[in-house]
PDB file of all heavy atoms in Angstrom:
ATOM      1  N   GLN A 478       3.312 -28.567  -1.267  1.00  0.00           N
ATOM      2  CA  GLN A 478       3.437 -28.020   0.074  1.00  0.00           C
ATOM      3  C   GLN A 478       2.732 -28.904   1.069  1.00  0.00           C
ATOM      4  O   GLN A 478       3.283 -29.265   2.178  1.00  0.00           O
ATOM      5  CB  GLN A 478       2.905 -26.671   0.107  1.00  0.00           C
ATOM      6  CG  GLN A 478       3.653 -25.636  -0.664  1.00  0.00           C
ATOM      7  CD  GLN A 478       2.871 -24.296  -0.749  1.00  0.00           C
ATOM      8  OE1 GLN A 478       1.680 -24.144  -0.704  1.00  0.00           O
ATOM      9  NE2 GLN A 478       3.665 -23.167  -0.942  1.00  0.00           N
ATOM     10  N   TYR A 479       1.546 -29.399   0.685  1.00  0.00           N
ATOM     11  CA  TYR A 479       0.736 -30.295   1.549  1.00  0.00           C
ATOM     12  C   TYR A 479       1.590 -31.582   1.826  1.00  0.00           C
ATOM     13  O   TYR A 479       1.734 -31.969   2.944  1.00  0.00           O
ATOM     14  CB  TYR A 479      -0.504 -30.643   0.831  1.00  0.00           C
ATOM     15  CG  TYR A 479      -1.378 -31.705   1.567  1.00  0.00           C
ATOM     16  CD1 TYR A 479      -2.249 -31.289   2.609  1.00  0.00           C
ATOM     17  CD2 TYR A 479      -1.278 -33.054   1.192  1.00  0.00           C
ATOM     18  CE1 TYR A 479      -3.006 -32.214   3.230  1.00  0.00           C
ATOM     19  CE2 TYR A 479      -2.077 -33.979   1.813  1.00  0.00           C
ATOM     20  CZ  TYR A 479      -2.927 -33.565   2.856  1.00  0.00           C
ATOM     21  OH  TYR A 479      -3.738 -34.522   3.514  1.00  0.00           O
ATOM     22  N   GLN A 480       2.145 -32.169   0.793  1.00  0.00           N
ATOM     23  CA  GLN A 480       2.904 -33.451   0.945  1.00  0.00           C
ATOM     24  C   GLN A 480       4.176 -33.192   1.760  1.00  0.00           C
ATOM     25  O   GLN A 480       4.518 -33.982   2.578  1.00  0.00           O
ATOM     26  CB  GLN A 480       3.284 -33.991  -0.358  1.00  0.00           C
ATOM     27  CG  GLN A 480       2.074 -34.528  -1.255  1.00  0.00           C
ATOM     28  CD  GLN A 480       1.349 -35.666  -0.542  1.00  0.00           C
ATOM     29  OE1 GLN A 480       1.879 -36.368   0.298  1.00  0.00           O
ATOM     30  NE2 GLN A 480       0.099 -35.775  -0.905  1.00  0.00           N
ATOM     31  N   ALA A 481       4.878 -32.090   1.522  1.00  0.00           N
ATOM     32  CA  ALA A 481       6.110 -31.767   2.244  1.00  0.00           C
ATOM     33  C   ALA A 481       5.908 -31.626   3.779  1.00  0.00           C
ATOM     34  O   ALA A 481       6.616 -32.160   4.561  1.00  0.00           O
ATOM     35  CB  ALA A 481       6.724 -30.483   1.690  1.00  0.00           C
ATOM     36  N   ILE A 482       4.816 -30.952   4.112  1.00  0.00           N
ATOM     37  CA  ILE A 482       4.512 -30.692   5.540  1.00  0.00           C
ATOM     38  C   ILE A 482       4.112 -31.985   6.167  1.00  0.00           C
ATOM     39  O   ILE A 482       4.531 -32.338   7.317  1.00  0.00           O
ATOM     40  CB  ILE A 482       3.440 -29.622   5.709  1.00  0.00           C
ATOM     41  CG1 ILE A 482       3.952 -28.257   5.159  1.00  0.00           C
ATOM     42  CG2 ILE A 482       2.992 -29.499   7.123  1.00  0.00           C
ATOM     43  CD1 ILE A 482       2.784 -27.233   5.115  1.00  0.00           C
ATOM     44  N   LEU A 483       3.270 -32.830   5.472  1.00  0.00           N
ATOM     45  CA  LEU A 483       2.794 -34.039   6.048  1.00  0.00           C
ATOM     46  C   LEU A 483       3.908 -34.995   6.251  1.00  0.00           C
ATOM     47  O   LEU A 483       4.116 -35.612   7.341  1.00  0.00           O
ATOM     48  CB  LEU A 483       1.750 -34.674   5.022  1.00  0.00           C
ATOM     49  CG  LEU A 483       0.713 -35.626   5.562  1.00  0.00           C
ATOM     50  CD1 LEU A 483      -0.172 -34.978   6.622  1.00  0.00           C
ATOM     51  CD2 LEU A 483      -0.132 -36.170   4.475  1.00  0.00           C
ATOM     52  N   GLU A 484       4.847 -35.136   5.284  1.00  0.00           N
ATOM     53  CA  GLU A 484       5.968 -35.989   5.422  1.00  0.00           C
ATOM     54  C   GLU A 484       6.935 -35.563   6.511  1.00  0.00           C
ATOM     55  O   GLU A 484       7.520 -36.370   7.244  1.00  0.00           O
ATOM     56  CB  GLU A 484       6.653 -36.131   4.030  1.00  0.00           C
ATOM     57  CG  GLU A 484       5.805 -36.827   2.974  1.00  0.00           C
ATOM     58  CD  GLU A 484       6.457 -36.676   1.583  1.00  0.00           C
ATOM     59  OE1 GLU A 484       7.577 -36.239   1.535  1.00  0.00           O
ATOM     60  OE2 GLU A 484       5.727 -37.079   0.660  1.00  0.00           O
ATOM     61  N   ALA A 485       7.038 -34.271   6.648  1.00  0.00           N
ATOM     62  CA  ALA A 485       7.965 -33.746   7.673  1.00  0.00           C
ATOM     63  C   ALA A 485       7.483 -34.118   9.056  1.00  0.00           C
ATOM     64  O   ALA A 485       8.280 -34.458   9.992  1.00  0.00           O
ATOM     65  CB  ALA A 485       8.133 -32.262   7.550  1.00  0.00           C
ATOM     66  N   VAL A 486       6.211 -34.077   9.254  1.00  0.00           N
ATOM     67  CA  VAL A 486       5.592 -34.449  10.604  1.00  0.00           C
ATOM     68  C   VAL A 486       5.802 -35.958  10.787  1.00  0.00           C
ATOM     69  O   VAL A 486       6.222 -36.392  11.854  1.00  0.00           O
ATOM     70  CB  VAL A 486       4.180 -34.005  10.684  1.00  0.00           C
ATOM     71  CG1 VAL A 486       3.541 -34.550  12.041  1.00  0.00           C
ATOM     72  CG2 VAL A 486       4.003 -32.523  10.570  1.00  0.00           C
ATOM     73  N   HIS A 487       5.510 -36.747   9.736  1.00  0.00           N
ATOM     74  CA  HIS A 487       5.562 -38.173   9.902  1.00  0.00           C
ATOM     75  C   HIS A 487       6.994 -38.574  10.150  1.00  0.00           C
ATOM     76  O   HIS A 487       7.271 -39.589  10.939  1.00  0.00           O
ATOM     77  CB  HIS A 487       5.074 -38.801   8.624  1.00  0.00           C
ATOM     78  CG  HIS A 487       3.617 -38.898   8.493  1.00  0.00           C
ATOM     79  ND1 HIS A 487       2.753 -39.322   9.535  1.00  0.00           N
ATOM     80  CD2 HIS A 487       2.782 -38.586   7.478  1.00  0.00           C
ATOM     81  CE1 HIS A 487       1.511 -39.264   9.158  1.00  0.00           C
ATOM     82  NE2 HIS A 487       1.482 -38.831   7.889  1.00  0.00           N
ATOM     83  N   SER A 488       7.942 -37.907   9.594  1.00  0.00           N
ATOM     84  CA  SER A 488       9.433 -38.359   9.775  1.00  0.00           C
ATOM     85  C   SER A 488      10.014 -37.779  11.048  1.00  0.00           C
ATOM     86  O   SER A 488      11.113 -38.123  11.447  1.00  0.00           O
ATOM     87  CB  SER A 488      10.214 -37.783   8.618  1.00  0.00           C
ATOM     88  OG  SER A 488      10.291 -36.445   8.567  1.00  0.00           O
ATOM     89  N   GLY A 489       9.307 -36.920  11.671  1.00  0.00           N
ATOM     90  CA  GLY A 489       9.853 -36.231  12.937  1.00  0.00           C
ATOM     91  C   GLY A 489      10.659 -34.981  12.678  1.00  0.00           C
ATOM     92  O   GLY A 489      11.130 -34.316  13.573  1.00  0.00           O
ATOM     93  N   ALA A 490      10.748 -34.593  11.377  1.00  0.00           N
ATOM     94  CA  ALA A 490      11.542 -33.366  11.039  1.00  0.00           C
ATOM     95  C   ALA A 490      10.855 -32.091  11.399  1.00  0.00           C
ATOM     96  O   ALA A 490      11.441 -31.066  11.645  1.00  0.00           O
ATOM     97  CB  ALA A 490      11.829 -33.351   9.542  1.00  0.00           C
ATOM     98  N   LEU A 491       9.475 -32.177  11.557  1.00  0.00           N
ATOM     99  CA  LEU A 491       8.658 -31.026  11.919  1.00  0.00           C
ATOM    100  C   LEU A 491       7.728 -31.454  13.130  1.00  0.00           C
ATOM    101  O   LEU A 491       7.033 -32.399  13.024  1.00  0.00           O
ATOM    102  CB  LEU A 491       7.798 -30.567  10.750  1.00  0.00           C
ATOM    103  CG  LEU A 491       6.881 -29.381  11.031  1.00  0.00           C
ATOM    104  CD1 LEU A 491       7.636 -28.088  11.385  1.00  0.00           C
ATOM    105  CD2 LEU A 491       5.993 -29.103   9.822  1.00  0.00           C
ATOM    106  N   ASP A 492       7.890 -30.709  14.165  1.00  0.00           N
ATOM    107  CA  ASP A 492       7.102 -31.024  15.333  1.00  0.00           C
ATOM    108  C   ASP A 492       5.667 -30.608  15.131  1.00  0.00           C
ATOM    109  O   ASP A 492       5.340 -29.550  14.717  1.00  0.00           O
ATOM    110  CB  ASP A 492       7.684 -30.201  16.616  1.00  0.00           C
ATOM    111  CG  ASP A 492       7.131 -30.623  17.866  1.00  0.00           C
ATOM    112  OD1 ASP A 492       5.988 -31.209  17.921  1.00  0.00           O
ATOM    113  OD2 ASP A 492       7.725 -30.372  18.897  1.00  0.00           O
ATOM    114  N   GLU A 493       4.771 -31.593  15.388  1.00  0.00           N
ATOM    115  CA  GLU A 493       3.315 -31.267  15.209  1.00  0.00           C
ATOM    116  C   GLU A 493       2.838 -30.105  16.132  1.00  0.00           C
ATOM    117  O   GLU A 493       1.838 -29.422  15.768  1.00  0.00           O
ATOM    118  CB  GLU A 493       2.463 -32.511  15.486  1.00  0.00           C
ATOM    119  CG  GLU A 493       1.008 -32.324  15.062  1.00  0.00           C
ATOM    120  CD  GLU A 493       0.223 -33.725  15.177  1.00  0.00           C
ATOM    121  OE1 GLU A 493       0.851 -34.669  15.426  1.00  0.00           O
ATOM    122  OE2 GLU A 493      -0.992 -33.632  15.041  1.00  0.00           O
ATOM    123  N   ALA A 494       3.560 -29.838  17.170  1.00  0.00           N
ATOM    124  CA  ALA A 494       3.194 -28.696  18.002  1.00  0.00           C
ATOM    125  C   ALA A 494       3.313 -27.347  17.239  1.00  0.00           C
ATOM    126  O   ALA A 494       2.557 -26.385  17.553  1.00  0.00           O
ATOM    127  CB  ALA A 494       4.079 -28.676  19.264  1.00  0.00           C
TER     128      ALA A 494
END
Side-chain angles (χ1 to χ4, degrees):
Q478 294 170 332
Y479 175 83
Q480 294 297 337
I482 296 170
L483 204 61
E484 290 170 10
V486 176
H487 283 312
S488 69
L491 178 63
D492 191 339
E493 191 172 348

